[in-house]
Amino acid sequence: MTSFKPTRRTLLKTGTAAAAFATLGPAFLRQAAAQDADLAPYKSAQIDWQQVSGETITVAVIPASYFENLITLAPQFKALTGIDVRFEKIPPAQIRQKSVIDLTSKTGTYATHAADPMYYALYVANKWVEPLDTYLNDKSLTDQAWFKFDDVIPAWRSANGINGKLYGMPYDGEVTIQVYRKDLYDAKGLKPADTLEAYMSNAAALNTPNDRIWGAALRGVAGAGQNMYIYPSIFREFGGDWMKGDKLTVNGPEAEAALAWYVDIMKKYAPTAAANWNWPDIADAFSQGTVASYIDAHSSASVINNPEKSKIIGKVAYARWPKGPSGKRTTSIWNWGFPINSALPEKKRKATWLFIQWATSAETQARTAHKFAGPTKRSGVNRTSIWKDPDYIKLMNGFGDNFVEATMGALQDDTDVDWRPRVPQWPAIGDTMATAIQSALSGQATIKAALDDAQRRIEPMMRG
């Protein structure tokens, strides 16, 4: 999702001439060879990287550029540790299911996998994954002064923890921000919205379907990570609380007000087709100039700045999630993290931790991001220090005005670890809520009826 395709402006800003890409093949190979030999930053850690040399582990990832960059550097890990890593690329729609099947069967096929933070409650309830504190605090396995765990973005660490224990180390992540056409906003004298009310007002002012410009778009297609990626933030901003006492509650006045706001903006100011759109569809429409603003993952900036497809490069700016009536901003704090499969024997668990430590270290994060020799760069690095690196900031600001400030502001101040209900039953609850939201959006049910029906369906799930 975070495939970075530099804009012409980015290339100029970063001093990377287009001609450099014409000769990318040999230049890239030379640099990769140089990287292969450069293990000194890793060897400065006070641990024995070779302590389980000869082990082989399988890592499941999705076919995304940020993992492709990591796979390219895997020979460095082999040279450092003597551990062979076999990567298996699985589409996002299947990786959760295949991982759960592997964990349930305890076959240990995947030593680790790109894990959705919403699944950790399920994993931990069944003791399928290891608490990572054990590995972080073992001086034979981790040099804490070198690894600098506190540098890993706190919001993503929190998302991957259950009851104060960490179960997945964040590798790449995202946060939700407001994306808008600054040229259209300037022409109308508008400012990026500070509140949901202002966001609705801006959408109304810019909505001119006769000119093929719609005011806004949000994810509309049903799914736990689709319309239920956006709605939970709105629910929390309207003062909603998933857990009232010990009862998971999805209906009530706050839920009705939140869903009414979502349905209202989608029906009045979004293209009709948006009811079935996921984030790539929204980003494509925005890049073609037919949508004035959207709220979604900051990583979608790579799509709207693709110089081969986008018509709006140089006209984009960013802002944080608008505040809700509660006065809160609530973004997603989603990331792909790496857990350790509890079914592995001890040596493979150690090998898996050494891989995780290498992949999520500041050195590898930089080498797979702004220091990566290939054309794709990452906008979801896991380290606060990299987000403050002038070279990384320079590259990221190629996405448009205020990109780094909006993203970091959201990551540092607008996160809410309970933006979705973190319970083992989440997969089924997410699907139930997604259906309820779609039912209200399509007009098949009133807002209250849709939410009340979802509540009735969810209560038996929570009773087990």
Side-chain angles (χ1 to χ4, degrees), residues 37-324:
D38 186 12
L39 300 179
Y42 300 100
K43 290 182 176 177
S44 66
Q46 299 302 302
I47 59 170
D48 176 11
W49 286 101
Q50 292 274 337
Q51 59 187 284
V52 288
S53 176
E55 288 293 327
T56 299
I57 60 172
T58 299
V59 177
V61 298
I62 65 166
S65 61
Y66 38 81
F67 285 127
E68 297 289 354
N69 292 6
L70 184 70
I71 292 169
T72 300
L73 300 184
Q76 294 181 4
F77 178 70
K78 173 66 183 296
L80 178 69
T81 64
I83 299 167
D84 274 311
V85 180
R86 174 182 173 272
F87 287 94
E88 184 172 324
K89 288 182 271 189
I90 305 171
Q94 283 88 47
I95 195 168
R96 297 169 178 84
Q97 183 182 13
K98 292 194 72 168
S99 299
V100 167
I101 290 171
D102 180 48
L103 293 168
T104 305
S105 66
K106 300 187 183 300
T107 54
T109 300
Y110 304 123
T112 186
H113 66 278
D116 183 329
M118 289 304 297
Y119 277 60
Y120 286 118
L122 175 65
Y123 292 176
V124 173
N126 290 285
K127 299 182 179 177
W128 288 338
V129 295
E130 296 279 290
L132 297 187
D133 313 47
T134 305
Y135 300 85
L136 278 165
N137 295 327
D138 185 337
K139 292 182 179 178
S140 71
L141 288 171
T142 307
D143 180 348
Q144 293 196 14
W146 178 83
F147 185 64
K148 295 182 174 63
F149 174 65
D150 289 345
D151 188 34
V152 179
I153 291 179
W156 295 338
R157 287 172 8 212
S158 297
N160 294 0
I162 301 291
N163 297 327
K165 284 186 178 292
L166 184 76
Y167 289 91
M169 190 64 73
Y171 170 76
D172 191 285
E174 63 187 33
V175 69
T176 319
I177 59 174
Q178 189 180 165
V179 186
Y180 66 96
R181 284 276 302 277
K182 62 180 179 181
D183 59 325
L184 299 180
Y185 273 54
D186 289 346
K188 294 274 188 179
L190 301 174
K191 295 181 179 178
D194 193 49
T195 64
L196 290 177
E197 183 180 13
Y199 191 77
M200 184 79 78
S201 177
N202 283 350
L206 294 164
N207 195 57
T208 52
N210 290 339
D211 298 327
R212 295 196 55 74
I213 295 177
W214 282 265
L218 303 174
R219 295 188 192 191
V221 67
Q226 313 306 333
N227 55 5
M228 267 300 279
Y229 176 87
I230 292 295
Y231 170 76
S233 292
I234 304 168
F235 172 71
R236 296 288 284 167
E237 291 198 344
F238 271 84
D241 187 354
W242 297 112
M243 300 301 296
K244 291 187 176 177
D246 294 331
K247 183 179 180 182
L248 197 148
T249 302
V250 301
N251 61 352
E254 297 89 357
E256 290 172 24
L259 187 52
W261 185 91
Y262 171 83
V263 169
D264 204 25
I265 198 165
M266 288 290 282
K267 281 190 170 179
K268 287 181 178 176
Y269 307 124
T272 302
N276 292 306
W277 281 0
N278 193 3
W279 72 267
D281 309 299
I282 298 171
D284 282 344
F286 185 84
S287 71
Q288 295 307 301
T290 60
V291 170
S293 176
Y294 68 95
I295 300 174
D296 212 299
H298 81 286
S299 50
S300 64
S302 62
V303 175
I304 62 178
N305 281 289
N306 182 346
E308 295 178 0
K309 296 180 180 178
S310 180
K311 298 178 180 178
I312 46 82
I313 292 175
K315 301 176 181 177
V316 185
Y318 305 86
R320 289 157 60 183
W321 243 109
K323 295 175 191 170

Side-chain angles (χ1 to χ4, degrees), residues 336-372:
W336 287 118
F338 286 129
I340 297 178
N341 189 330
S342 291
L344 300 175
E346 183 181 5
K347 275 192 170 182
K348 283 194 185 295
R349 290 202 302 270
K350 288 183 176 179
T352 305
W353 170 250
L354 291 175
F355 166 77
I356 293 171
Q357 186 177 187
W358 168 80
T360 62
S361 68
E363 183 64 27
T364 302
Q365 289 286 305
R367 291 187 184 195
T368 54
H370 55 299
K371 294 182 180 179
F372 189 67

